[in-house]
Structure formats: C-alpha cells, structure tokens
Amino acid sequence: MTIKNYGLMWDRDAVAWSGVKGSAGHLTGMGPIGAAKKDQIKADFRNQIGVYILYEDRRVVYVGQAGSGNNDLYSRLKNHITDHLADRWDRFSWFGIRNVNKDGSLSKQQGELNRTLKATEIFDLIEGLLINVLEPPLNKQGARWKEVDQYFQLKEGWAAMSDREILMAIARRVEDGGYD
C-alpha cells in the first residue's frame, strides 16, 4: 500500500457538493500535474480513500482518514461542512491509495498491504506527506515518492464562474422571480 495520487490545497467552495443542480456531488481533478495536456485525465476523487487535512487560512486545523466503512473522501469532507468543524476550514489536501483508471474512474482495489515495505519506503512516505502538508521553509527537496501523481482541482459551481457570469445568473433569477 502506498499513496497513488494526491491534491494539495483544494478550495472547499469549488467543490460540487450534492444538491447542486440535482448532482450527487463530486471532487473533480485534472492531472497528473506535469503530464502533457493530452495525457491528463479528468478524474472524480469522490470515492478516494486515504488521509486528508483541513486548513483554515493555510493553517492545519484537522487531520482525518477516509476509507473506514462507507466513509470515502467525499462523505468525510461533506460531514465536516455541518459538524463542529463547519466554519473552521476553507481548504483541504488529500492523499489517496486508489489508482486513477484511464477513463478517470478510481480503481476498486482498496490498496491493501500485500507486500512487506522496507523501512526506507515507509520513511519516504511519511516524510513526503509531512513536507507536502507542512511546507517547511528549509526543506529544499520535495517528496521522494515514486509513481505518485498530483492532481489539481477543477473548480465547479459559483467558484468556476467569472464575476460577469455570476451577475448574469443572479439577474436571470431575479427576472424569473427566483429571488424575493
């Protein structure tokens, strides 16, 4: 088991949470970062399992895990919108163990440990995760991960719209009697 992909500092307000236009909600990303545009894949990380970090103004406020029972990444994050952390975070990072398939879906494989890991592999995994999350200013080297892909967030909902598009959408709703 090892980290297969991750996303850093994704914006909570740019997630398509359920209930938006009848959608079941999703966590959409594009990547891997660094790959040629033609080789990048749009993927939904809704069902990813692994660990996640919540931030408020770039400060770590919570660390959790997704994958226990039916608690995938999306459901864990969605719970935090209404629980005791509701107003205490605005961004999140995640580190997942499910591979991205060529069609953008995630593998069903849980990434169970099926081999013995060397101590150096474990140290590289932990060190890389901490470097990515904490961003220590004196670390010049990044994570020493092999075959781990970073994805950037695709913004959705209001966050994906320009100011002009937002104003036009509001104007249409007012004209249609959508607002009192």
Side-chain angles (χ1 to χ4, degrees):
M1 168 182 66
T2 186
I3 293 170
K4 299 295 183 185
N5 42 61
Y6 65 103
L8 297 176
M9 300 302 286
W10 284 23
D11 185 349
R12 165 185 166 162
D13 292 334
V15 173
W17 302 108
S18 63
V20 178
K21 296 182 182 177
S23 167
H26 43 276
L27 298 170
T28 309
M30 188 72 132
I33 290 177
K37 268 271 204 244
K38 66 179 181 58
D39 296 327
Q40 290 187 350
I41 299 170
K42 180 179 176 182
D44 185 356
F45 294 98
R46 175 187 175 93
N47 296 318
Q48 186 58 278
I49 57 177
V51 296
Y52 62 94
I53 296 89
L54 303 182
Y55 304 88
E56 180 180 44
D57 296 326
R58 301 190 65 83
R59 183 175 63 91
V60 175
V61 295
Y62 185 86
V63 176
Q65 60 179 293
S68 172
N70 291 329
N71 289 320
D72 55 26
L73 179 60
Y74 177 86
S75 63
R76 292 289 291 146
L77 292 171
K78 188 173 179 194
N79 287 339
H80 294 315
I81 291 175
T82 57
D83 69 7
H84 67 286
L85 299 171
D87 296 326
R88 302 201 52 207
W89 63 284
D90 56 5
R91 296 196 171 273
F92 63 97
S93 292
W94 57 269
F95 301 85
I97 62 173
R98 287 187 169 156
N99 282 314
V100 175
N101 298 320
K102 290 182 183 195
D103 67 355
S105 65
L106 296 181
S107 68
K108 297 293 181 197
Q109 192 174 12
Q110 298 293 323
E112 300 298 331
L113 187 60
N114 57 8
R115 66 179 178 93
T116 303
L117 293 175
K118 295 178 184 172
T120 55
E121 291 175 308
I122 294 170
F123 297 151
D124 285 348
L125 179 67
I126 295 169
E127 178 192 40
L129 197 144
L130 290 171
I131 287 171
N132 275 300
V133 172
L134 299 176
E135 299 178 335
L138 300 180
N139 276 86
K140 294 180 181 176
Q141 177 178 306
R144 287 180 280 195
W145 290 338
K146 296 174 184 160
E147 300 178 21
V148 179
D149 296 323
Q150 182 180 359
Y151 285 74
F152 64 87
Q153 182 180 22
L154 291 179
K155 295 184 176 185
E156 301 181 277
W158 292 106
M161 300 172 79
S162 68
D163 290 345
R164 178 178 170 80
E165 290 169 325
I166 291 171
L167 291 173
M168 290 174 62
I170 292 170
R172 278 193 301 274
R173 285 191 182 173
V174 168
E175 286 176 7
D176 295 340
Y179 293 111
D180 294 328

